[in-house]
Amino acid sequence: MSGAVQINFKNELLARLSPSDLSLFSAELVPVQFEKRDLLIAADKTIQRTYFLESGIASVVASTADGTQTEVGIIGKEGMIDVATALGSVTAPLEIFIQAPGHGYSLPSLVFQEALSKSRTLHAVMLAYAQAFLVQVSHTTLAAASQSIKARLARWLLMCDDRTAGAEIPMTHEFLSLMLSVRRPGVTEAVQAVEATGAIRAHRGMIEIRDRELLKQIAGDGYGGPEAYASKHSG
């Protein structure tokens, strides 16, 4: 992909880069189609490739020794996978897999880290994103500790909506149970409660967002902080 520097990238990080920064690794970018459940990063394993999504959503998942899992963050077209690479690490403690299918680009992580070492401006853009992602993870922890399942579901749906092109989000109760760290009966109750407000419609493994403003009201203070931070510190 020697002409990648001329591509009109939909990934917001790639689109933000100067031609000179992009040229440091653009020849190694490879188009990738992402399918649901594709494992991009395995916990505590050497990171082989760096990914930039243009569509779709990836889940960042933490696990306990007994196999209990919970989502701690999500990544879409606004970011990169994995921020550990931008921070100079060759492994990551968290698993990252595709939650909603899409497409994007990948390149060898060593190539990307070499590019980072050559450009302060490239490194600065990626560190700013890493900080924004840390803010998101922190607010996810805060929401889990202080908000109802209904409010957390609304927050999570808004975050997904920010990263998808349409109003429908492919999602099963099994997935939602992992995302919200609650049992499936609790997920069912939360979905029904939010659906009863008219903000969403759940059908056939999909959740359709019908009233985003109402969804914001349900999410309350749980949504908006990380988004405002990311907007202020991008560019």
Side-chain angles (χ1 to χ4, degrees), residues 186-201:
V187 170
T188 299
E189 291 179 8
V191 170
Q192 291 175 345
V194 177
E195 189 171 25
T197 69
I200 65 170
R201 176 173 175 258

Side-chain angles (χ1 to χ4, degrees), residues 44 80 112 117 139-140 159 170 209 233:
D44 300 319
M80 64 169 290
F112 188 60
S117 70
H139 278 251
T140 297
M159 291 170 64
I209 295 179
H233 292 84

Side-chain angles (χ1 to χ4, degrees), residues 88-167:
S89 180
V90 295
T91 63
L94 305 174
E95 177 179 293
I96 304 178
F97 62 87
I98 294 297
Q99 175 191 122
H103 68 275
Y105 296 94
S106 78
L107 76 158
S109 294
L110 290 178
V111 170
F112 188 60
Q113 286 189 323
E114 183 178 357
L116 289 170
S117 70
K118 293 178 179 178
S119 170
R120 290 185 178 181
T121 52
L122 174 62
H123 202 200
V125 169
M126 297 306 160
L127 287 181
Y129 168 68
Q131 176 67 11
F133 180 72
L134 176 60
V135 172
Q136 181 204 135
V137 171
S138 299
H139 278 251
T140 297
T141 302
L142 178 61
S146 63
Q147 288 197 300
S148 67
I149 299 174
K150 179 181 175 182
R152 286 158 52 199
L153 173 62
R155 171 184 183 266
W156 185 83
L157 290 172
L158 287 164
M159 291 170 64
C160 288
D161 188 49
D162 289 340
R163 293 162 173 81
T164 55

